[in-house]
Amino acid sequence: MNTDDTIDNDASTEPETNCGSNSAETESRSNCGASTETDGGVTSAASTDDSVSKCGGSSESSESNCGASKKEKTDEKVASTVDDFDADPGRFVAVGLGPGQAEGMTQRARAALMAAEHIVGYTTYIDLLPAEVIESADDLYDTPMCGEVSRTEEAIDRALAGNDVAIIGSGDPNVYALSGLALEILESKGATASMVDFEVVPGVPAAQSCGARLGAPLVNDTVSISLSDHLTPMEDIESRLHAVAGEGFTVAIYNPWSRKRRENFEACCEILLEHRAPDTPVGIVHGAGREDEEVEIVELGELEELGETDLIDMTTTILVGNEETYVWDDRMVTPRGYESKYDY
């Protein structure tokens, strides 16, 4: 799998989405712990709309509006502020699950999840949790694809209501993931990170877990670039590709392909070929850590045609070698520079 939170809501078949919107129009935002009305002993905002999430409610209560048409500009804002909560805040931890399989999770991540009362995450990632973690949690809350904003606010509201909460993602929380969004939402609520004892528990990022499957492609300077233009304009992505492709970096490419992003992948291949030789080694890892994992090493000149195959999709990470990278015994090798200093 692509082992970071990198499925950027644009795999929908709809041309435009309001993925994860917390705007007033969707009415699916959390009001966990806010205002006066109680629900199961947890204070909740009064509402006649059953779609408003209550603390400890089922995941079905806050499905995202993924696939709905959106306005040119949404007026997204959080549903509650820190002043709406009467309880002493609990803890809030962003946990990286790593590559996806249970044995790829760090001991620190497992311990953080075992200590959490509530665990919040994307449905696919909740399904990856070990049985003992699921059994130890008081409540699990998940949203489908496109629910990043709503589930992150849900997690924060649960913490502000006095619960110890973990929000999970694959890979590492600081690599195309939700730790930054969590801090932004905390700030917008008038809360602080120290108020909820916010902590990031790192995991193994996709580039590193995929690099391990390919040999040693990342032992020198490396740059990561996501081809998703859901949050970053494509012109910025192209500018960055030109900047790094002309230098000696190996390049880790996240989010290479989706039904809405075919042109982005094609543009990426063309830019890389402007700066690098067609025989540059490229490692492709599809579904790392999953049953459908595939690993291939190809030449850069062959990369674009593979975009139409099942090998490259949103669960794929691509590692593009630099001018010194070579293939030996079906492994990618990027020299660190020892050969210029030592005889061996």
Side-chain angles (χ1 to χ4, degrees), residues 85-328:
F85 298 89
D86 296 327
D88 292 332
R91 294 191 70 233
F92 182 46
V93 184
V95 181
L97 300 182
Q101 67 274 49
E103 60 269 26
M105 187 185 304
T106 68
Q107 291 184 357
R108 183 180 171 193
R110 187 183 296 269
L113 293 175
M114 294 293 290
E117 297 169 337
H118 296 204
I119 299 176
V120 177
Y122 170 41
T123 303
T124 296
Y125 302 148
I126 291 289
D127 292 341
L128 294 174
L129 292 174
E132 64 268 24
V133 170
I134 292 175
E135 292 167 2
S136 70
D138 294 340
D139 190 64
L140 301 174
Y141 181 93
D142 65 284
T143 65
M145 187 181 294
C146 306
E148 298 97 329
V149 175
S150 61
R151 69 174 171 267
T152 302
E153 186 179 5
E154 175 74 17
I156 291 170
D157 283 353
R158 288 176 181 231
L160 290 174
N163 303 289
D164 289 343
V165 182
I167 188 168
I168 62 171
S170 63
D172 183 274
N174 271 319
V175 181
Y176 303 118
L178 299 181
S179 59
L181 176 62
L183 290 173
E184 291 175 25
I185 292 178
L186 273 168
E187 183 181 11
S188 69
K189 287 179 177 290
T192 64
S194 57
M195 180 182 294
V196 294
D197 193 15
F198 177 75
E199 180 184 6
V200 174
V201 176
V204 180
Q208 277 63 43
S209 61
C210 293
R213 287 160 170 80
L214 291 162
L218 303 178
V219 298
N220 215 326
D221 295 335
T222 302
V223 173
S224 298
I225 292 182
S226 169
L227 297 190
S228 173
D229 57 1
H230 177 65
L231 299 173
T232 303
M234 189 57 199
E235 54 266 29
D236 291 348
I237 296 172
E238 292 181 359
S239 176
R240 294 168 188 176
L241 282 167
H242 277 293
V244 302
E247 298 294 334
F249 301 108
T250 51
V251 183
I253 297 174
Y254 287 72
N255 301 315
W257 181 275
S258 77
R259 284 167 288 183
K260 289 175 53 182
R261 199 165 52 246
R262 307 161 81 95
E263 296 83 2
N264 297 17
F265 179 74
E266 293 164 358
C268 172
C269 294
E270 292 171 2
I271 291 170
L272 290 170
L273 282 170
E274 286 183 34
H275 300 276
R276 304 198 175 186
D279 62 352
T280 300
V282 175
I284 303 171
V285 181
H286 167 88
R290 292 185 176 182
E291 293 181 359
D292 63 342
E293 177 181 298
E294 292 184 64
V295 179
E296 286 195 24
I297 299 175
V298 302
E299 293 184 350
L300 180 57
E302 304 170 315
L303 184 59
E304 184 173 344
E305 64 188 41
L306 294 175
E308 296 291 346
T309 70
D310 293 337
L311 181 63
I312 297 180
D313 61 16
M314 289 292 289
T315 71
T316 302
T317 302
I318 298 172
L319 303 181
V320 182
N322 64 17
E323 66 274 11
E324 296 182 336
T325 304
Y326 63 94
V327 179
W328 173 78

Side-chain angles (χ1 to χ4, degrees), residues 28-39 41-47 51-57 61-62 79-87 118 120 139 141 150-163 165 189:
S28 63
R29 60 167 74 98
S30 165
N31 283 296
C32 174
S35 192
T36 57
E37 191 175 283
T38 61
D39 181 2
V42 179
T43 311
S44 306
S47 174
S51 69
V52 176
S53 171
K54 304 292 194 297
C55 187
S61 64
S62 68
S80 57
T81 70
V82 66
D83 295 332
D84 296 313
F85 298 89
D86 296 327
H118 296 204
V120 177
D139 190 64
Y141 181 93
S150 61
R151 69 174 171 267
T152 302
E153 186 179 5
E154 175 74 17
I156 291 170
D157 283 353
R158 288 176 181 231
L160 290 174
N163 303 289
V165 182
K189 287 179 177 290

